[in-house]
Amino acid sequence: MIKCIAIDDEPLALAQIAGYISNVPFLHQVGACQDAFEAMQLIASEDVDLIFVDINMPDLNGLDFVRSLVSSPLVVFTTAYSEYAVEGFKLDAVDYLLKPVSFKDFLKSVDKARKQLEYRSGGGAADNDSNVINPDGTLFVKSDYKIIRINVNQIKYIECMSEYVRIYLEGEDKPLMTLLSMRKLEERLPASMFMRVHRSYIVNLHKIQEISRLRIIFEGNVYIPVGDNYKEKFNDYISKMCLGK
């Protein structure tokens, strides 16, 4: 688990980063601070691996705040001004996020930080190529620094999130997030059950509740689009399975 804090004097920007942190299973938010001095006290009392800090803050800006730290955690700078990028990287920042920050860019920064921390600990980069289907129809998935066994039949659909995928399971409120490419996952799932219908989605064909205007509908009013490059194969499958005209 990577312990991190978010620092920003703008409440909405702080809430956005805090929300992103809560959506990544291997991140644990130690705190959210609205100024550098509050963050200093938190870092002095807690073990922190990673900080997301805004550059433009009153009294003590993000750059000077990081310079003041005797032993700095990994740093990702956030700002609305791109001209600060060079100064940020001079301080060995992991990354530089330009506001408004997208979740996709946030994930890329988090992955860079994760790899640096694993390198420091001697663990090397994560190898999720070990995700394979077992004879009993289960799959081992690395998520949140744990290896979790899931039943392939419980997978409803899979969503691509940059270098990660989210696996949505029946009976679970939150998806599993794991570092794995859609291509490799598509190759390893049984083709008789799973189909890629969009560059960002793989669906369990057995879990589809309804199809309307090239949108796949799952239980809970989840709508997944069928991409142009995939609709011929998908329509062919539906035509073979459908009764009536």
Side-chain angles (χ1 to χ4, degrees), residues 13-67:
L14 184 63
Q16 182 188 47
I17 296 297
Y20 285 170
I21 291 171
S22 67
N23 283 327
V24 179
F26 57 81
L27 294 183
H28 170 65
Q29 182 170 277
V30 176
C33 307
Q34 288 192 285
D35 61 64
F37 300 105
E38 182 184 356
M40 283 181 178
Q41 294 178 350
L42 189 58
I43 291 173
S45 60
E46 298 279 353
D47 291 329
V48 178
D49 304 306
L50 174 65
I51 59 175
F52 298 91
V53 56
D54 181 36
I55 290 179
N56 299 88
M57 294 189 296
D59 299 323
L60 184 63
N61 67 45
L63 294 170
D64 290 337
F65 162 68
V66 172
R67 291 189 186 103

Side-chain angles (χ1 to χ4, degrees), residues 60 94 98 101 146 230 235:
L60 184 63
V94 171
L98 192 62
V101 179
K146 296 180 290 186
Y230 305 89
N235 284 337

